[in-house]
């Protein structure tokens, strides 16, 4: 059997709608590097119109502009707003956390799971950390502890509190949380 590797896909949502994922992060980073939407589009080989649509959708869903444009003069161009920079940081923080969690095979072995399996495991919430658009929910699953990153909206919708009895739904790309 060939060596297998776990892969994950991360994106942040707002009100259940995708806000930013790897492609949008690449667009924002290219704009930041090039200081020009047109040059960023050339670098990523995407159309200018598509890029503007993506940026407008992100800004609408966020309720704040992710880029600003300065026209005319030597300082003209397209630049990230602080909100755009914050989105990149938030995305990368959550992507790194998830990747680190998936690499820790010991945590999977402690509860007898194969990474590619789909499972529903009962557990108890021990901690909820809200961090902007996403939350870290820590579950006690005897004899181990599991942390899941889910949207803060899901935490509120499910009314997840420490002490709640929940179940973790583990599949090859995600750890989800459900509540009875």
């Amino acid at each position: 059997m060939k060596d297998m590797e776990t892969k994950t896909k991360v994106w942040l949502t707002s009100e259940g709608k995708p806000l930013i994922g790897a492609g949008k992060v690449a667009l924002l980073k290219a704009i930041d590097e090039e200081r020009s939407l047109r040059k960023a589009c050339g670098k990523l080989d995407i159309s200018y119109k598509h890029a503007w649509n993506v940026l407008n959708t992100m800004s609408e869903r966020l309720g704040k502009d992710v880029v600003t444009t300065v026209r005319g003069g030597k300082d003209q161009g397209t630049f990230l707003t602080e909100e755009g920079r914050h989105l990149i940081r938030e995305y990368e923080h959550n992507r790194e956390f998830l990747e680190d969690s998936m690499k820790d095979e010991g945590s999977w072995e402690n509860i007898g799971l194969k990474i590619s399996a789909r499972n529903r495991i009962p557990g108890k919430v021990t901690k909820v950390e809200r961090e902007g658009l996403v939350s870290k929910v820590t579950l006690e699953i005897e004899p181990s502890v599991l942390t899941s990153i889910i949207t803060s909206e899901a935490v509120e919708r499910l009314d997840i509190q420490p002490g709640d009895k929940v179940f973790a739904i583990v599949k090859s790309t995600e750890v989800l949380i459900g509540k009875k």
Side-chain angles (χ1 to χ4, degrees):
M1 179 184 271
K2 293 183 177 184
D3 287 338
M4 287 191 259
E5 186 178 325
T6 301
K7 295 285 186 182
T8 60
K9 195 172 189 179
V10 176
W11 63 94
L12 304 179
T13 65
S14 176
E15 296 179 3
K17 296 177 181 173
L19 181 60
I20 192 165
K24 292 174 184 171
V25 168
L27 175 59
L28 291 179
K29 285 183 171 183
I31 291 168
D32 197 34
E33 289 168 13
E34 300 296 331
R35 302 169 60 96
S36 161
L37 180 57
R38 193 161 305 282
K39 288 180 183 176
C41 291
K43 185 175 188 176
L44 299 175
D45 195 28
I46 61 174
S47 79
Y48 187 85
K49 182 179 180 186
H50 173 71
W52 261 124
N53 288 340
V54 166
L55 295 170
N56 286 332
T57 300
M58 273 196 290
S59 293
E60 285 173 13
R61 288 184 180 162
L62 196 57
K64 297 179 182 173
D65 289 334
V66 294
V67 296
T68 186
T69 302
V70 176
R71 298 186 193 279
K74 66 177 185 174
D75 293 327
Q76 72 179 350
T78 303
F79 307 93
L80 295 187
T81 62
E82 186 51 43
E83 202 59 41
R85 293 180 193 289
H86 176 75
L87 267 178
I88 293 171
R89 286 191 304 270
E90 189 75 19
Y91 172 84
E92 289 182 340
H93 170 77
N94 287 287
R95 181 188 48 78
E96 288 170 14
F97 179 83
L98 187 56
E99 285 178 1
D100 289 346
S101 297
M102 296 304 290
K103 288 178 186 172
D104 183 10
E105 293 180 28
S107 66
W108 294 97
E109 292 170 2
N110 284 342
I111 54 175
L113 296 178
K114 294 182 179 176
I115 292 174
S116 63
R118 186 173 200 159
N119 300 281
R120 181 177 151 165
I121 307 150
K124 180 179 162 186
V125 176
T126 59
K127 184 167 47 169
V128 177
E129 296 175 70
R130 289 183 170 89
E131 297 179 5
L133 296 173
V134 296
S135 295
K136 293 179 194 174
V137 179
T138 303
L139 307 176
E140 181 178 64
I141 299 174
E142 293 295 332
S144 192
V145 174
L146 176 74
T147 300
S148 175
I149 298 176
I150 63 174
T151 65
S152 293
E153 179 184 322
V155 169
E156 290 173 21
R157 191 175 62 244
L158 293 171
D159 189 30
I160 296 174
Q161 303 291 328
D164 285 350
K165 296 203 183 294
V166 297
F167 52 88
I169 303 164
V170 180
K171 58 184 201 172
S172 61
T173 58
E174 305 174 76
V175 176
L176 307 172
I177 293 183
K179 187 173 178 182
K180 294 179 183 178

